[in-house]
Amino acid sequence: AGLGRNITSGYTKDSTTINTADTSSIAVGSFIAIFEDDDAAEIDHRSQTYHCDDNGSSTNAHCRMSYHKVTSFVASTSITFTPPIPFIGAGADPEYRIQTMGITMAGIEDIRLKGNFSTTECELIFIDFSADIWVDNVETYGVGAGCSLTAHIEIEFSTRVEVRDSFLHGTNNTQTGGHNYGVSTLYWGSHFKV
């Protein structure tokens, strides 16, 4: 049990339609997150459940999920979406919820971003609650040092993000483990191309 709406059928790998009794507030073009309860035999988050979306607000962290764009729906019956469900686990308690994306269809291209190696500059590009985003031909240099995670590009709670033909280099973070990433994905996210 989680914070979503029950899926009554259709939760299978490569499915593009789920059945549900609750389609309220669904609109064509909106995004949904589809998820299931974690199975300890499949997922060992080593007590690091903060990487998953429902930590602290549910009895389950829901680490396995994917985002999908609604293409059609039948009221109180079904939702059709793209892309297909990429994977499923044991399939316990599949649910969905509406996910608002703040930025869609936007990109950063042909630019050089130089940080100052400051202790507060944790990433130079931050993509959060976004969909259909691209980073192309970007050079980043000089990301900071005083953060628990340092990345030139950090992607959180987003989908359909592409990073290509870019050069990410230079950090002042000398800590070991969990630091100094070129591209970092954190929390829920799906369908990335790097």
Side-chain angles (χ1 to χ4, degrees):
L3 303 173
R5 303 171 182 186
N6 289 331
I7 297 172
T8 56
S9 64
Y11 182 67
T12 58
K13 184 181 182 320
D14 298 324
S15 174
T16 58
T17 300
I18 54 172
N19 295 313
T20 179
D22 187 355
T23 59
S24 58
S25 302
I26 290 288
V28 171
S30 63
F31 287 87
I32 59 173
I34 297 176
F35 55 95
E36 65 181 48
D37 284 352
D38 297 341
D39 182 337
E42 297 175 340
I43 295 176
D44 179 4
H45 37 62
R46 301 183 187 278
S47 300
Q48 304 296 312
T49 56
Y50 60 86
H51 288 293
C52 306
D53 191 48
D54 288 339
N55 179 50
S57 59
S58 168
T59 57
N60 198 288
H62 297 122
C63 288
R64 177 178 282 133
M65 64 68 56
S66 56
Y67 287 123
H68 305 273
K69 190 171 189 175
V70 175
T71 57
S72 67
F73 67 97
V74 177
S76 299
T77 304
S78 65
I79 302 169
T80 302
F81 49 84
T82 185
I85 296 173
F87 48 77
I88 63 167
D93 193 30
E95 298 178 80
Y96 85 95
R97 69 172 168 227
I98 298 169
Q99 182 64 64
T100 302
M101 297 297 183
I103 299 174
T104 61
M105 300 294 295
I108 300 171
E109 301 177 347
D110 305 321
I111 191 169
R112 182 173 194 252
L113 302 173
K114 183 180 183 295
N116 62 7
F117 295 107
S118 77
T119 58
T120 58
E121 204 167 61
C122 300
E123 62 276 322
L124 295 176
I125 298 172
F126 184 60
I127 300 169
D128 187 45
F129 289 103
S130 301
D132 300 316
I133 304 297
W134 65 93
V135 176
D136 184 21
N137 194 32
V138 170
E139 180 182 0
T140 61
Y141 176 77
V143 78
C147 307
S148 60
L149 178 132
T150 302
H152 292 262
I153 301 171
E154 185 169 331
I155 306 167
E156 298 181 359
F157 301 106
S158 297
T159 187
R160 297 154 55 141
V161 177
E162 181 173 342
V163 178
R164 61 178 300 142
D165 303 324
S166 296
F167 183 40
L168 318 173
H169 61 103
T171 181
N172 196 34
N173 195 335
T174 58
Q175 301 178 51
T176 60
H179 306 279
N180 302 319
Y181 292 100
V183 177
S184 171
T185 61
L186 191 60
Y187 306 114
W188 277 10
S190 66
H191 304 97
F192 301 134
K193 183 176 180 182
V194 179

